[in-house]
Every structure is written in structure tokens, then in C-alpha cells.
Amino acid sequence: MTRTTTTTLAVAADYADAMMVARRAKNWLFLILLIILLMQVGIFAVARFVPSMHVTASMTTGGPGATTATTQSTEISIVQRPAHRNAPGENRLMSPLLKYLIDATDFLGITLTIVLGVVLLLIVTIMLVGRLVGVAHVTSAFVWCVVFFVILFPWQTLLNSGGEWVRFTRDVKGNHAGDVVQLSVGQSSAYIAADAAERAPALSTPDVRIPGVLYTWGELARDYDFSTGDWKVAALKLTRFVGAPVIAILMLMSVQAKSSRGLKFALGESEMRVEVSAPPV
């Protein structure tokens, strides 16, 4: 009898240790994902409201008396130095930190959300095997985590992601001179560098995109400097870059709250109230 009791206590302690490990992993994943979403909002705020930061660079080359040339690029960032320290026609270039940060947040946001879902599923499995209370809350958190991943994933990179429209200036690989086609940015840049094509205005074909919460570098470079003259466009862009991440943050906090509540019930850190109606007399 004593041996059976000891074994039962050891198994219960083992379940508790496993859930404690999973809870620590879940808390760290929640914290990192929260920081990632806040970083996406912060990067947009920096690009939008900090005057010295330019996502789309406008560089003026040449000195006094020289012919000036302006080059547009979305691959670099420019920080303009104060006027008294800035030589004529000179800007200080910095590494494309914003682009790297956005790529990092996109990658980590997707992968860590998958890991969070796996951890929640592991907790649900432990609770089901151990017949522990609170499994309903963790199951609800797992379902919401799946929904969170669906809205977080940048679907715009897969659905009609498009590229650049180019017009071929000579026959190249089955394309004839004068053909206007849509290519990826890398392909179009290669053809343009080889003087085989030139950039062409986009055709008036509809390009319907269903975006996820995580935006990409291309979206930020294209839309961060939107005009506030049209309130509809401004509201749409603010919803895209600020409203959507805030909604995702609220959903992530809901996942954290539900899972934490279920774990507290399972570990005995909180008592579950069960309403039992009295039988009719």
C-alpha cells in the first residue's frame, strides 16, 4: 500500500515537473512574440515619424558647381547629419538595419508561433494523460494560438506577391523585344543591369492581396510615407501597420492568460470553482 502511494506521488510530481518546464518555455515564447509585435509597430513609427530616418533613400551626388544626380533606392537607409556638419551634397549612409530587423521579426514571428503551438499541445497532452483539471482552458489557448498563427503569417508574400514590371529591349529566353512582363525583383534587376530590359509602369490588372499581421520590407518601403489627405487611405494604412499588430497582441495575451489559468488549476496553484446545483426536493 505504501509502495503504491509512493509511486502515485512520484508520477504526480513528474507530471508537475513536466508542466513547469513547458510553462517556462511558454512564458519565454510569449515574451519574445510580444517584443516582435511591438518592434513591428516601433519600426513603422520610426520610419514614419522620425525626420532623420528615410526608408526610401534620395541621394544627391556631386559637389558645388557639378551636375547633380538623384538616385532612388529602397535598399538603404539614410541619416541626414546636422547642416553645420554636412558637406554639400553629402549624406551619411547607414547599414540597412531596418530591413534586417523586419526580416528577423518575420522569421522569428512565424517560427516561434509554431513552437508555441507545439508547447501548448504538449501541455494539453500531459494534462489529458494525467487527467488533470484545467485542460479546457489550455485547449482553448491552443485553438486561439492556431488562429493567431493564421492571422500572423504574411500571406501577401505568397498570394499575388508580384514583383516588378519590365519591358524587354531585346529577345531574351523566349521573351521578345517590347514584351512587358512581371518578374521578381532579383530577375528584373539582373535583366536591367544587362541592358536587356527596362522598368515599365505596372499594368492596370487587379492585384488582390490578403495580408498577414507581419509586414515585409517591401510593404514598409512602399507604404510607410502615405498621404494623410485621404482619410480612407490613412485609416487603411494605420490599420495595416498599427491596428493589426495591436489586435494580434491582444490575441497573444489572451492565449497567455488562458493557458496560464489552466496550468494554475492543474498545478494546484488556484482552486477551480465548480457550480453544483442542488437536486430538486
Side-chain angles (χ1 to χ4, degrees), residues 171-188:
D171 297 346
V172 179
K173 294 184 178 180
N175 296 293
H176 301 286
D179 290 347
V180 178
V181 298
Q182 189 178 28
L183 302 175
S184 66
V185 176
Q187 288 178 320
S188 63

Side-chain angles (χ1 to χ4, degrees), residues 130-178:
R131 297 182 179 181
L132 303 174
V133 296
V135 67
H137 298 282
V138 184
T139 302
S140 177
F142 171 72
V143 173
W144 278 106
C145 183
V146 174
V147 177
F148 174 75
F149 171 77
V150 171
I151 70 169
L152 195 72
F153 189 87
W155 298 104
Q156 65 275 14
T157 60
L158 300 178
L159 305 174
N160 294 343
S161 58
E164 283 189 313
W165 290 95
V166 297
R167 179 185 292 105
F168 284 95
T169 57
R170 54 187 173 88
D171 297 346
V172 179
K173 294 184 178 180
N175 296 293
H176 301 286

Side-chain angles (χ1 to χ4, degrees), residues 20 130 224:
M20 291 291 290
Y224 83 101

Side-chain angles (χ1 to χ4, degrees), residues 5-226:
T5 303
T6 303
T7 302
T8 303
L9 292 176
V11 171
D14 198 29
Y15 283 142
D17 290 340
M19 286 190 294
M20 291 291 290
V21 172
R23 180 164 69 174
R24 283 194 294 270
K26 177 184 69 69
N27 291 338
W28 276 109
L29 290 169
F30 163 75
L31 181 60
I32 297 174
L33 286 171
L34 180 62
I35 293 174
I36 286 172
L37 291 172
L38 291 176
M39 283 180 62
Q40 286 245 319
V41 178
I43 290 172
F44 166 74
V46 168
R48 174 73 181 178
F49 300 109
V50 176
S52 60
M53 183 65 68
H54 299 273
V55 175
T56 302
S58 179
M59 298 181 294
T60 303
T61 59
T67 303
T68 59
T70 302
T71 303
Q72 295 293 331
S73 173
T74 58
E75 293 299 325
I76 60 176
S77 298
I78 284 187
V79 175
Q80 294 180 339
R81 288 183 287 185
H84 64 279
R85 299 173 59 186
N86 207 30
E90 180 186 356
N91 284 322
R92 179 166 60 92
L93 300 181
M94 63 176 291
S95 61
L97 180 60
L98 292 184
K99 182 177 180 181
Y100 296 147
L101 285 177
I102 293 174
D103 291 342
T105 55
D106 290 343
F107 174 76
L108 292 176
I110 295 170
T111 55
L112 294 185
T113 303
I114 296 175
V115 177
L116 178 61
V118 173
V119 171
L120 290 175
L121 183 60
L122 176 63
I123 296 174
V124 171
T125 303
I126 295 173
M127 296 175 72
L128 288 175
V129 173
R131 297 182 179 181
L132 303 174
V133 296
V135 67
H137 298 282
V138 184
T139 302
S140 177
F142 171 72
V143 173
W144 278 106
C145 183
V146 174
V147 177
F148 174 75
F149 171 77
V150 171
I151 70 169
L152 195 72
F153 189 87
W155 298 104
Q156 65 275 14
T157 60
L158 300 178
L159 305 174
N160 294 343
S161 58
E164 283 189 313
W165 290 95
V166 297
R167 179 185 292 105
F168 284 95
T169 57
R170 54 187 173 88
D171 297 346
V172 179
K173 294 184 178 180
N175 296 293
H176 301 286
D179 290 347
V180 178
V181 298
Q182 189 178 28
L183 302 175
S184 66
V185 176
Q187 288 178 320
S188 63
S189 299
Y191 283 129
I192 293 172
D195 293 329
E198 60 183 7
R199 286 186 174 86
L203 299 181
S204 58
T205 54
D207 187 12
V208 180
R209 301 184 184 184
I210 304 175
V213 170
L214 294 175
Y215 59 79
T216 60
W217 166 258
E219 288 181 278
L220 182 68
R222 183 181 67 245
D223 297 331
Y224 83 101
D225 196 21
F226 57 87

Side-chain angles (χ1 to χ4, degrees), residues 274-281:
V274 180
E275 295 183 1
V276 179
S277 59
V281 179

